[in-house]
Amino acid sequence: MRRRLGESGYQSDRKYKLGMPIFIVVIMVLSVLGFSIGSFSGTNDNEFSYNGYSFELDASDEQNPLWKASKEGADNGEQEYDFHFRPEEVLDIVFEGKVNYPSFTLVDNPEENISISDLQLIALSKFEMKSTLEEAGKIVSVGFMTNSSGVKVTCENASENSAVVVFEISNLTQISNANNCITIAGNNGREVVRAKEMFLFRLLGIA
């Protein structure tokens, strides 16, 4: 069970976490997935087809079931992509901007004044998006929007061939693209994961 933190404990945990490498943060996320995102897909269908892709439910991890998506009729060597949501569960997130770039840099602000669980789910979103983009043949790097966390990357680093993707907590769950700087936002960490998956569905031609 996760302990509840007072203000001083909250700040102490934030400072400790901010100094950790991203792979350690991901390990922390995976350790709490059962609490955070263990019930994303509430359906009895274990297989379905959608827009030329086959989806099969992998429930080997009961706390974190995933949909495995691959192109229908593809060889066994074809890429397989993991998702928490079915496509129809994210179609309410409207996005008409450019999604396809040769390379991406995925960033967030680890000093943002949000909860630990939201920060963890943003870290998870970056980790999963990096994996999916690389499987799709893209060049991907990760960074942060503050100097204190390493090399600073902002929207000013975006270009026609290299998008900067910013993950953030906002009042609305949405995706936007302004001058090749893509913002993936949600009103909590779970919604950021959902918006991330809508972006990837669009990029892969699934939705």
Side-chain angles (χ1 to χ4, degrees), residues 53 81-83 90 95 99 104 106 125-134 136 138 167 175 184 193-207:
Y53 277 78
Y81 307 103
D82 293 346
F83 296 98
V90 301
F95 176 54
V99 297
F104 296 83
L106 314 181
S125 295
K126 290 172 64 177
F127 176 80
E128 291 182 334
M129 188 165 178
K130 181 177 186 294
S131 177
T132 301
L133 290 174
E134 287 176 339
K138 306 299 182 181
F167 294 84
I175 308 168
I184 294 180
V193 176
R194 199 167 70 91
K196 176 265 297 182
E197 300 207 340
M198 179 58 189
F199 179 86
L200 292 174
F201 284 144
R202 278 286 310 278
L203 184 142
L204 295 171
I206 298 176

Side-chain angles (χ1 to χ4, degrees), residues 41-200:
S41 300
T43 176
N44 293 322
D45 298 330
N46 292 329
E47 296 182 12
F48 67 95
S49 296
Y50 192 95
N51 203 15
Y53 277 78
S54 296
F55 285 75
E56 183 175 352
L57 184 64
D58 178 3
S60 56
D61 183 348
E62 294 181 358
Q63 291 186 323
N64 185 34
L66 293 170
W67 290 105
K68 302 282 187 178
S70 59
K71 285 187 177 180
E72 293 178 335
D75 296 332
N76 291 335
E78 186 71 23
Q79 289 94 340
E80 188 176 66
Y81 307 103
D82 293 346
F83 296 98
H84 299 281
F85 293 96
R86 297 166 61 109
E88 62 267 28
E89 293 177 312
V90 301
L91 293 179
D92 60 302
I93 305 173
V94 179
F95 176 54
E96 301 296 336
K98 180 180 177 181
V99 297
N100 200 359
Y101 293 81
S103 68
F104 296 83
T105 301
L106 314 181
V107 302
D108 70 298
N109 179 4
E111 298 177 2
E112 189 175 5
N113 187 25
I114 58 178
S115 71
I116 294 291
S117 61
D118 285 345
L119 283 167
Q120 289 174 332
L121 286 171
I122 286 176
L124 176 69
S125 295
K126 290 172 64 177
F127 176 80
E128 291 182 334
M129 188 165 178
K130 181 177 186 294
S131 177
T132 301
L133 290 174
E134 287 176 339
E135 289 174 359
K138 306 299 182 181
I139 300 170
V140 188
S141 59
V142 296
F144 298 95
M145 302 182 72
T146 59
N147 288 319
S148 60
S149 300
V151 179
K152 182 178 180 179
V153 179
T154 68
C155 289
E156 295 180 359
N157 299 103
S159 69
E160 286 289 334
N161 295 317
S162 183
V164 171
V165 182
V166 179
F167 294 84
E168 67 178 24
I169 300 298
S170 179
N171 291 331
L172 299 174
T173 300
Q174 60 185 358
I175 308 168
S176 61
N177 186 337
N179 298 319
N180 307 304
C181 182
I182 299 165
T183 299
I184 294 180
N187 59 14
N188 56 50
R190 182 181 184 275
E191 285 293 281
V192 171
V193 176
R194 199 167 70 91
K196 176 265 297 182
E197 300 207 340
M198 179 58 189
F199 179 86
L200 292 174

